[in-house]
Amino acid sequence: SGVRLHHDAIRNPRCEAHAMPSMIRPLPSVSRPVPFPAGLLVAAGLAVFATGCAGWFHRSSAPSSPYDLVVTHDRRLTSKPAIMELPNSWSPDGSRLAATIMDRSDIYIEIINAKNGDADRRRLLPPSSFHDYYAIWSPDGRRLVFFSDRSGNFDIWTVNSDGSDLKRLTDDAADDVYGYWSPDGTKIAFLSTRSREMAIWVMNSDGTGQHQVTAGGNGDWGVSWSPTGKQITFGSIRTSALNQPKPNVTDTLPPSFKNLLTLGIPSQAIWTVDVDTRLLKQLTTGTESHWHPMWSPDGMKIAYVSGADKAGSRHDGGMDIWVMDNDGTHPQPLTSGPRYEAFPVWSPDGRQLAYEIVNPEDGSANIRILTLKKERRRP
């Protein structure tokens, strides 16, 4: 029957939705209780253990990247006051972004013009008592997959890009979150607690053929397909540099959001899994948190969030956007400083990365976009 993520409402006016291993910030109060899934929190680095020094189990056959990336421009896309603005995915034509928005009373999905930002943004679905999260565009641009508490617990849903034809794909007593389309649009990867641990599952795009891909990690978080559709990259607590015992999922999902934030915040590593063979490879090591990996459109790079600075560790409370080659080598930071910068999302042409930034003065969140240029790697 699986484990249920706790759905207690946020009642504490100082709950921290963006708590990180080295940065916990207060949130403004909300006007009504808002359930916040532990899966979303963990994807933000909230319930993971220190990543280990364990070696990899399988070498990826994908080629290494021959280039580095240089940031040529960093622009602000949105300025609407929000507690959370998480860019989720770009439309296939690169004109729009789907984003999860949290304000003082609700959590919902918006479609935002990638050029005009606040001047052209709309809710994907009408206001309701439900809460919708993390929308990913289908490769053909017609539908989006997201997760929601519309069924009483968290399930995977799809909807047309205009908000019509809402369909529920999963129906399990456990929680299913973070759906992500395969590159050819025939499959959807998602996270589920139905095996008594947060693990990666895959199903057909119509919801049939649901099967488990990862196991034994006691917490695999976030999914992103390789452009070939053969691998998925994800964050995991399956190793521990401190040799801490792996917790049962019930230990990492305590009975309230507030209690979750009072736990010591450990870190996670980035892995890949072969969808067919289930063979694993660990890409990052160290004691700093590395999470939210996103495969680049050309398959050569993986963008992710790291608590490390250029020296490998930090004490300024920041989180930065990094990229590395698809085999875990040549990591490089794209942002730096004591700010919270997270949730990178590639544009379809690979020339831009949207990300969330938190204003350290008032704790508000907005979306920014990096413009990138390829540069030949120096020997």
Side-chain angles (χ1 to χ4, degrees), residues 96 109 111 122-126 135-138 140-146 157-167 181:
R96 295 162 292 168
I109 296 164
I111 306 301
R122 63 175 174 84
R123 289 184 69 133
L124 176 62
L125 293 163
I136 303 297
W137 245 288
S138 62
D140 63 9
R142 296 179 179 178
R143 295 185 69 79
L144 294 101
V145 63
F146 66 101
W157 298 70
T158 61
V159 66
N160 285 337
S161 60
D162 64 0
S164 64
D165 193 25
L166 185 65
K167 293 182 178 179
W181 298 91

Side-chain angles (χ1 to χ4, degrees), residues 90-265:
W90 295 68
S91 60
D93 64 3
S95 66
R96 295 162 292 168
L97 277 166
T100 301
I101 311 299
M102 179 180 180
D103 58 28
R104 293 180 180 274
S105 63
D106 201 1
I107 302 176
Y108 53 94
I109 296 164
E110 280 194 347
I111 306 301
I112 303 174
N113 187 296
K115 290 184 178 180
N116 300 331
D118 291 340
D120 183 8
R121 57 192 299 173
R122 63 175 174 84
R123 289 184 69 133
L124 176 62
L125 293 163
S128 69
S129 60
F130 307 114
H131 303 91
D132 304 321
Y133 310 78
Y134 205 71
I136 303 297
W137 245 288
S138 62
D140 63 9
R142 296 179 179 178
R143 295 185 69 79
L144 294 101
V145 63
F146 66 101
F147 71 97
S148 176
D149 61 358
R150 292 169 176 268
S151 57
N153 62 301
F154 292 107
D155 282 304
I156 306 296
W157 298 70
T158 61
V159 66
N160 285 337
S161 60
D162 64 0
S164 64
D165 193 25
L166 185 65
K167 293 182 178 179
R168 180 181 177 185
L169 297 188
T170 64
D171 182 5
D172 193 272
D175 288 286
D176 302 319
V177 296
Y178 288 97
Y180 206 103
W181 298 91
S182 64
D184 63 4
T186 64
K187 305 286 184 181
I188 294 175
F190 63 100
L191 300 176
S192 179
T193 61
R194 61 182 73 181
S195 62
R196 296 198 59 80
E197 60 182 359
M198 185 65 81
I200 298 173
W201 288 60
V202 171
M203 61 182 166
N204 296 325
S205 59
D206 62 359
T208 62
Q210 298 176 19
H211 62 279
Q212 189 171 352
V213 174
T214 63
N218 286 309
D220 295 334
W221 311 98
V223 292
S224 173
W225 292 83
S226 68
T228 64
K230 295 180 179 180
Q231 294 176 294
I232 292 173
T233 184
F234 61 100
S236 181
I237 64 173
R238 61 181 58 240
T239 56
S240 171
L242 303 179
N243 295 318
Q244 296 172 330
K246 295 178 181 178
N248 184 280
V249 69
T250 55
D251 297 326
T252 64
L253 304 178
S256 75
F257 179 70
K258 177 181 178 181
N259 288 344
L260 178 61
L261 298 175
T262 63
L263 294 177
I265 306 299

Side-chain angles (χ1 to χ4, degrees), residues 49 52 73 138 173 176 184 214 218 232 279 311 313 317 333 340 343 375:
F49 276 120
H73 188 58
S138 62
D176 302 319
D184 63 4
T214 63
N218 286 309
I232 292 173
L279 293 176
S313 61
Y340 174 94
F343 296 96
E375 187 176 80

